[in-house]
Every structure is written in structure tokens, then in C-alpha cells.
């Protein structure tokens, strides 16, 4: 038995789970928020109880030290050495870090060199790794990349039809994200189908604030909807997903804004929020649409159509699919959205059972017995996937 910590560091936050491996049992979880600001919030969840403290935390290293001291105070660990490995979620590994790895000096240098590919995420992820290295110098830190699972994509899927030297000189290609989730969910789906991963084709719909679809053929990602950045693909909470790239120049002229500002609109003011003008939160849109709000319904429909388009295209690309799976905040919880997507795929012989679909946050088969493709809800668990890789690389 080993205690492994899974960490997700953001610019001012640090989320963690401590897991007992290989049993994959959650020991405790928590989050430190508002790091570097006044009144940081430190929350630990233990045995269903929530312990919250408000205290100034200057930086991530202080947050890590506080967190570990707290684990000792709460008798969760007797000493820091009990933690046998720390796994960090890192958003982008580019084409240089293509699978989970123990982080040494060389890996830090590579991560620093690719910060500009995902500045909002990789920078903070790296700060998290360095903070743990400082406080736990003897314990191995492992990086687990959102992009790694997609490195099996064939050239024809990841290559953009742009001048080839953009790819060779500037690493312009599709990378894909949410890989840890797509991998976890597709592995679990194979188990639910009673098959080995290499015996089935699965289409995973990870629909949360960020959302992406993945074609998993015989256990490997062969295409996914996010691209060079997490902006490509389907519309999301605030992201547009695919648009005509010529729109950027046109809107720069119309609004007298820079390319950066227009890209910011596409990332932060679009998707559910942009179309509905109401909210980026799916619950608000579902509520408003039930009250007859047209633009809320439209925002949901625009996304549902695009998701159905991707599913159909991946079904054809993989020459069939054994299962379509929903996961993440919306995929796990929003029954009407799942129904809205699947009803558009009748031609594939797939059908949802409304009673089975009437569920939230649970693992379940939701298709009818006659459906030609099985449809499941499978709650994602990126932390377990991170802990599995960390255990493997530290033992
Ligand atoms: P991310 O991790 O990308 O920030 P999540 O996977 O947590 O996002 O998903 C957040 C989304 O899930 C929000 O739009 C939220 O409204 C939605 N969601 C959560 N619970 C429900 C629910 N019961 N019904 C509909 N949507 C829900």
C-alpha cells in the first residue's frame, strides 16, 4: 500500500487528493484558493466532513507546507515521508513530453521552454511542481499530461492543412486535451462492455466547462476535437469552439481590437455565455430554456448539434463504435443535454432510454436494450489516473 498525492495547481489555487494505491481509495482531498492574495481559503475534506480555514498564504510553497502540516495535524500521515510520490496534472507536454514522466532538471527545462503553448496552465502547473520539490526534496514528482493520451493520433488527424514549416518550426499541430479523462473513461467503458480496451471502439464526450470529444479506437486516441489549444472543437461554457479563422481579422476591423483581444472574446465571451447572453453555466441555461428562453435553448442546441456532428464523424472514421460515453459536469449530470445529443443520431440506430437516462453523477447504461450502440454515463476521475501513473513511475 502506498500513499500517493494527485495535484492540480492553478495560478492562485492548488487542488489535491491523497489516495491509497493500488486500491485507489480516496483518503482525503482539498483545495487551497486565493494563494498570493489576502484571506486565502484552505479547505480539507475528510470522512465527509469539511474543514475550512481562512489565512494569508503567500505562495504555492507555503500552501504545500501548510497542506502537509495539516495532514499531520489531522493524523492522516505521521510524517512527510509517508507520501511515496506526487503526481501533477500538466496541461501541455507538446511534442517533447509525450507520456507521464518523473520530473528532473531536464524535464523542468523542457516545461519552461513550452510555457507559451499553454501560458494560463503550464506556468502554474510548473509552480506547483517546484513547490513540492522544495518541500519534499526526496520524493519523486511525476508529471501527467493532458495531451499525452492523444499522441497515438495518426498524422492525418493531427496535421493542419497549413504551410508545413509551421509544423516543423513552430510545433503547430493538433495536440488535444482532457487526455487523462478520455483515457480513464474509455478504460472503464471497456470494462463495462466486458471487453479488453483493444477490442472496442469508444467515443468519449467529456462535457464540462471545457469540453472535448475523443475517438478511442482499440484503446488508443485516433482523433479528438480540441486542437493546438483548448479553444478548438465544440462550443463550451465560454469558448466558441470552431469558427471561420477569417472572422478574427474581420472582427478586429469592426471592433478596432487586437488579435489578442478578439481571441479573448472567443475564449471568454463565447459559447454558452456568448449565444445565450445569460450564463456560462449549463444549469442556468437548462432552467431558462425550460421557461421558454429562446437564446438559452439555442446555445444548448448549437452545442448539441456540434457534438452530434463529431460523434457521427468519429463513428465513420473508426468504422463503427461499441459505445458512446458521457462524462464531466454536464455529461454526468445534465440528462436533457444527453438526450438532446443522442436524439440527433437516430440514423446510427442509437437510442436512449428516458428512465435510465434520468440519473445524475452515477455510472450507468442509459441506452435501450435495442440500441445498436451502447450509451453510458461514466463519472471521470483524473486524479486516479494521475495516481496510477505516479505509482507506476515511483515504485
Ligand atoms: P470544468 O472541470 O471544465 O471546469 P466541470 O466538469 O466541473 O467543468 O463542469 C461544469 C459544468 O457542469 C457547468 O456548466 C455546470 O452547470 C454543469 N453541471 C454540474 N451539475 C449539473 C447539473 N446537475 N445539471 C446540469 N449541469 C450541471
Amino acid at each position: 500500500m502506498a500513499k500517493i498525492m494527485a495535484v492540480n495547481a492553478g495560478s492562485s489555487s492548488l487542488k489535491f487528493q491523497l489516495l491509497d494505491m493500488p486500491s485507489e481509495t480516496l483518503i482525503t482531498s482539498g483545495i487551497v484558493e486565493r494563494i498570493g492574495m489576502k484571506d486565502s481559503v484552505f479547505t480539507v475534506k475528510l470522512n465527509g466532513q469539511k474543514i475550512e480555514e481562512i489565512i494569508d498564504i503567500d505562495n504555492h510553497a507555503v500552501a504545500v507546507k501548510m497542506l502537509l502540516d495539516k495532514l499531520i495535524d489531522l493524523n492522516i500521515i505521521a510524517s512527510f515521508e509517508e507520501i511515496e510520490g506526487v503526481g501533477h496534472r500538466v496541461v501541455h507536454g507538446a511534442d517533447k513530453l509525450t507520456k507521464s514522466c518523473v520530473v528532473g532538471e531536464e524535464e523542468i527545462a523542457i516545461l519552461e521552454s513550452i510555457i507559451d503553448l499553454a501560458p494560463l496552465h503550464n506556468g502554474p502547473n510548473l509552480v506547483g511542481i517546484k513547490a513540492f520539490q522544495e518541500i519534499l526534496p526526496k520524493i519523486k514528482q511525476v508529471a501527467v499530461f493532458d495531451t499525452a493520451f492523444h499522441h497515438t493520433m495518426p498524422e492525418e488527424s493531427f496535421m493542419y492543412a497549413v504551410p508545413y514549416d509551421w509544423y516543423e518550426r513552430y510545433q503547430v499541430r493538433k495536440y488535444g486535451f482532457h487526455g487523462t479523462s478520455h483515457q480513464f473513461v474509455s478504460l472503464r467503458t471497456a470494462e463495462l462492455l466486458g471487453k479488453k480496451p483493444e477490442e472496442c471502439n469508444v467515443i468519449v464526450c467529456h462535457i464540462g466547462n471545457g469540453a472535448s470529444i475523443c475517438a478511442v479506437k482499440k484503446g488508443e486516441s485516433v482523433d479528438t476535437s480540441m486542437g493546438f489549444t483548448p479553444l478548438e472543437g465544440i462550443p463550451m461554457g465560454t469558448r466558441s469552439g470552431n469558427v471561420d479563422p477569417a472572422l478574427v481579422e474581420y472582427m478586429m476591423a469592426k471592433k478596432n481590437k487586437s488579435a489578442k483581444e478578439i481571441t479573448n472574446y472567443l475564449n471568454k465571451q463565447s459559447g454558452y455565455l456568448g449565444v445565450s447572453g445569460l450564463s456560462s453555466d449549463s444549469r442556468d441555461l437548462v432552467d431558462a430554456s425550460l421557461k421558454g428562453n429562446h437564446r438559452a435553448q439555442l446555445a444548448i442546441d448549437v452545442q448539441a448539434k456540434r457534438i452530434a456532428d463529431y460523434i457521427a464523424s468519429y463513428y465513420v472514421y473508426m468504422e463503427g463504435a461499441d459505445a458512446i460515453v458521457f462524462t464531466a459536469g454536464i455529461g454526468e449530470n445534465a440528462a436533457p443535454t444527453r438526450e438532446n445529443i443522442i436524439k440527433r443520431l437516430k440514423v446510427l440506430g442509437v437510442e436512449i432510454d428516458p428512465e435510465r437516462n434520468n440519473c445524475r453523477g452515477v455510472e450507468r447504461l442509459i441506452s435501450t436494450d435495442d440500441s445498436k450502440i451502447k450509451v453510458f454515463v461514466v463519472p471521470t476521475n483524473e486524479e486516479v489516473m494521475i495516481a496510477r501513473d505516479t505509482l507506476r513511475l515511483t515504485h
Side-chain angles (χ1 to χ4, degrees), residues 208-210 280-283 328-330 333-334 360:
N209 274 322
S280 62
D281 193 298
S282 134
R283 279 167 289 205
I330 299 170
N333 294 297
R360 204 174 257 193

Side-chain angles (χ1 to χ4, degrees), residues 17-260:
Q17 282 193 3
L18 186 66
L19 293 127
D20 195 28
M21 298 297 285
S23 72
E24 304 185 349
T25 322
L26 178 66
I27 302 169
T28 180
S29 69
I31 179 165
V32 191
E33 289 165 292
R34 296 177 55 86
I35 299 173
M37 298 175 224
K38 273 219 132 321
D39 300 335
S40 316
V41 187
F42 182 92
T43 317
V44 181
K45 274 194 212 149
L46 183 65
N47 304 328
Q49 249 198 320
K50 211 163 140 183
I51 304 159
E52 195 177 274
E53 263 178 51
I54 298 189
I55 183 170
D56 292 353
I57 301 176
D58 287 344
N59 57 50
H60 285 70
V62 175
V64 171
K65 177 82 174 38
M66 250 196 81
L67 149 68
L68 295 169
D69 285 341
K70 183 56 92 191
L71 297 183
I72 290 184
D73 287 352
L74 292 169
N75 290 320
I76 296 168
I77 52 169
S79 76
F80 289 1
E81 280 68 40
E82 253 181 64
I83 296 171
E84 295 186 33
V86 183
H88 298 262
R89 175 193 185 205
V90 179
V91 166
H92 218 310
D95 51 358
K96 298 193 177 74
L97 296 168
T98 57
K99 44 183 189 254
S100 301
C101 61
V102 174
V103 183
E105 272 174 39
E106 196 184 325
E107 288 75 20
I108 294 268
I110 296 175
L111 283 170
E112 275 167 352
S113 75
I114 56 175
I115 280 185
D116 65 341
L117 285 177
L120 293 182
H121 293 106
N122 266 31
N125 297 157
L126 197 51
V127 170
I129 295 175
K130 287 181 175 169
F132 272 90
Q133 278 180 332
E134 191 183 322
I135 310 293
L136 298 176
K138 293 199 204 110
I139 291 164
K140 281 188 187 150
Q141 309 296 320
V142 171
V144 178
F145 303 96
D146 271 27
T147 46
F149 183 57
H150 301 299
H151 272 283
T152 44
M153 279 191 292
E155 231 177 354
E156 62 181 19
S157 289
F158 74 67
M159 185 62 70
Y160 292 121
V162 293
Y164 197 77
D165 78 312
W166 292 15
Y167 168 59
E168 287 182 311
R169 295 180 61 187
Y170 307 111
Q171 300 87 47
V172 169
R173 50 160 283 177
K174 176 186 279 193
Y175 290 102
F177 298 88
H178 293 141
T180 314
S181 174
H182 288 304
Q183 185 177 18
F184 177 86
V185 170
S186 57
L187 285 172
R188 180 66 194 138
T189 304
E191 281 176 8
L192 294 172
L193 289 167
K195 293 185 174 180
K196 293 196 181 116
E198 53 278 17
E199 290 168 348
C200 50
N201 295 347
V202 177
I203 299 171
V204 183
C205 305
H206 177 115
I207 319 172
N209 274 322
S212 69
I213 317 299
C214 184
V216 186
K217 185 170 188 177
K218 299 186 173 31
E220 294 187 335
S221 168
V222 292
D223 204 355
T224 188
S225 59
M226 280 182 172
F228 178 66
T229 75
L231 179 56
E232 191 181 340
I234 57 178
M236 312 175 205
T238 62
R239 286 174 240 169
S240 62
N242 295 346
V243 292
D244 182 340
L247 198 147
V248 175
E249 188 188 336
Y250 177 78
M251 287 311 297
M252 281 168 71
K254 287 285 171 203
K255 280 190 147 319
N256 196 20
K257 300 269 188 206
S258 66
K260 198 176 172 142

